[in-house]
Amino acid sequence: MLDPFLAPIPTLSALTAPLARFLHLSTLPLHIHELLLAFTFYHLVNSYGSPYISSRLFPREYGSLSAKTRLNWDVHVVSFVQSCIINFLALWVMWRDEERRNMDWRERVYGYTGADGMIQGFAAGYFLWDLCISVMHVDVFGWGMLAHAVSALVVFSLGFRPFVNFYAPTFILYELSSPFLNIHWFCDKLHLTGSRIQLYNGLVLLATFFSCRLVWGTYQSVRVYQDVWAAIHSPGVLPILATNTTTTTADLESHAEILRFQGDGVIPIWLACTYLGSNIVLNTLNFYWFGKMIEAVKKRFRPVKREKLGVKAEEGVKIGVNGSAHRVVDVQKTEVRRRKG
C-alpha cells in the first residue's frame, strides 16, 4: 500500500539524504516531511494549543496550577491528541493494507510499504518531541519516561532502514490505552477524584492497558523475535515465489516492490540486539506501570480511615460552589473499653 499522505518534498528529501545514508536509514527521505510535520504539530499543541484551549475550558483549574503541573497538563493534552490520531491511522492501515496480510517472515523483517512508513514517520515525530521534552524536564517526568522516549524513538527510527517496518502499526497500538490514562490524570486535576467518571474510565484503562500492552504487546514481541531469529539464521535467503504455480506476474512485482530496500539480506547482530533490547525495555516498563496503575486506581476508591485514641476519622474531598476543594473530616466517637484488672 502506497503512502496515502502527501508526497515527499523533493528538496527536503534531498537535504535528508546524506544523513539517511550515514545512518543507513534508506526510507527516511521518503517520510521526513511526515516526521517533521508531526514534531512541529505536537510542539504547537503543547506550546499554544493546550494553553489556549485549557485556559478557556477550565479557567479556574488550569490557572491555579503550578508551573510544573501546568507543563504536565500540556504534555498530557499532547499525549491524548497524539494517541487518538496515531491509533486511528494504525488501525486504518492494518485494515486497508492488503499486502500486510500475505507477508512471510522475510517481508515482515526486510519489507517496506509506504503506509507502514507513514505510521513510522508520524510516530517517530512524536517520540522525537517526547524525547526533547523528557530531556529538558527530566526533573518533572523522571528517568523512566526518558528511557521510554529513547527506546520508542530507537525502535521506530530503525524501521527506516527498513527493519521490521511491518510491525510499526502493530506496536503503536500500545497507544490504545493512552487516551484513558490521560483522562484518569485529568480527573484528578478537575476535582473528580473518586467520581463515577474516574471509576468507569479507570476500569476501561486497566482493561485496554492489559489487553493492548501486556497481552497483544507480548504476543507481538514474541512474533518479532521469531522473525528476527529466522532472518539471522537465513542470511541472504530470498523467497522463491516462482516455484508456486499460482504465483502471477503481479504477485512477483508486488513482492519485488516490498523488498526493494532489502539489500544483502543480512541483519547485523548489533541491530537485532538494539531493536530487541529496546523492545524489552518497553515491555518491562509496561508491566511495571501496570502494577502502579492498579495501585493508583485502588487508592482513589479506597476509603481513608484513621483510628487514634478511640476516635475514628474519615476524610473526603468536597467541591465548593466556587470550584475550590475543601477537605472534610467526619469524626465518630467510638466506645472505649477498658480492661478490668
Side-chain angles (χ1 to χ4, degrees):
M1 182 177 178
L2 299 176
D3 187 341
F5 196 64
L6 300 175
I9 302 173
T11 303
L12 189 58
S13 297
L15 292 174
T16 310
L19 177 64
R21 285 193 296 270
F22 177 76
L23 298 176
H24 301 285
L25 303 178
S26 303
T27 64
L28 179 60
L30 301 178
H31 301 282
I32 186 62
H33 62 300
E34 294 161 339
L35 187 155
L36 294 179
L37 177 62
F39 180 89
T40 303
F41 173 71
Y42 295 126
H43 170 70
L44 294 176
V45 171
N46 179 71
S47 301
Y48 302 101
S50 175
Y52 180 83
I53 296 175
S54 301
S55 61
R56 281 154 180 77
L57 291 179
F58 312 104
R60 181 174 290 104
E61 292 82 357
Y62 186 76
S64 63
L65 298 177
S66 65
K68 288 186 177 181
T69 306
R70 188 173 299 183
L71 169 66
N72 215 337
W73 175 293
D74 294 334
V75 168
H76 275 82
V77 171
V78 175
S79 174
F80 181 85
V81 172
Q82 186 271 153
S83 57
C84 292
I85 293 174
I86 203 67
N87 284 330
F88 171 79
L89 291 175
L91 290 171
W92 182 80
V93 167
M94 295 175 71
W95 176 52
R96 293 294 301 271
D97 191 354
E98 296 182 0
E99 291 175 319
R100 290 174 51 86
R101 302 168 189 167
N102 302 316
M103 288 184 178
D104 59 14
W105 67 261
R106 297 173 181 86
E107 292 169 316
R108 290 194 296 269
V109 173
Y110 300 113
Y112 162 82
T113 68
D116 288 342
M118 176 193 70
I119 298 298
Q120 288 206 270
F122 286 135
Y126 168 75
F127 290 124
L128 178 60
W129 172 87
D130 188 41
L131 176 61
C132 293
I133 290 293
S134 298
V135 170
M136 294 169 58
H137 304 285
V138 68
D139 59 319
V140 177
F141 301 109
W143 293 100
M145 289 301 298
L146 179 59
H148 177 272
V150 171
S151 299
L153 182 60
V154 168
V155 165
F156 280 89
S157 295
L158 289 176
F160 292 120
R161 291 183 66 92
F163 177 67
V164 293
N165 175 256
F166 169 89
Y167 286 97
T170 300
F171 284 118
I172 203 63
L173 290 183
Y174 280 7
E175 295 294 315
L176 282 171
S177 64
S178 294
F180 307 104
L181 177 61
N182 290 303
I183 292 173
H184 182 81
W185 188 89
F186 286 126
C187 282
D188 285 340
K189 299 301 176 284
L190 295 174
H191 310 306
L192 294 174
T193 301
S195 64
R196 289 188 177 182
I197 293 176
Q198 191 176 52
L199 173 61
Y200 299 149
N201 178 80
L203 295 176
V204 177
L205 167 60
L206 293 177
T208 54
F209 195 99
F210 178 79
S211 58
C212 297
R213 297 198 179 218
L214 304 190
V215 178
W216 170 263
T218 302
Y219 168 68
Q220 293 299 332
S221 294
V222 172
R223 288 193 62 193
V224 76
Y225 296 158
Q226 293 173 336
D227 287 345
V228 172
W229 180 265
I232 291 175
H233 288 79
S234 304
V237 177
L238 298 176
I240 306 175
L241 295 179
T243 59
N244 189 341
T245 57
T246 62
T247 301
T248 65
T249 302
D251 292 332
L252 293 173
E253 292 177 350
S254 175
H255 177 73
E257 179 70 13
I258 291 173
L259 291 174
R260 69 185 187 274
F261 294 107
Q262 181 183 22
D264 57 7
V266 177
I267 297 179
I269 296 300
W270 70 264
L271 176 60
C273 291
T274 300
Y275 183 92
L276 299 181
S278 298
N279 190 276
I280 290 173
V281 170
L282 292 174
N283 284 332
T284 302
L285 288 172
N286 285 332
F287 278 92
Y288 171 76
W289 284 334
F290 185 67
K292 291 293 185 181
M293 288 168 55
I294 293 177
E295 287 300 318
V297 172
K298 289 171 61 178
K299 181 180 179 181
R300 283 159 176 78
F301 298 96
R302 182 188 296 132
V304 180
K305 297 183 178 181
R306 297 178 181 175
E307 297 185 7
K308 186 177 181 181
L309 297 176
V311 178
K312 182 186 297 182
E314 294 188 2
E315 290 189 353
V317 176
K318 180 180 180 181
I319 308 302
V321 293
N322 61 350
S324 59
H326 304 281
R327 190 175 299 277
V328 179
V329 180
D330 295 327
V331 179
Q332 297 177 349
K333 294 182 179 179
T334 59
E335 181 181 359
V336 180
R337 298 182 179 178
R338 297 180 180 178
R339 294 184 180 179
K340 296 182 179 180

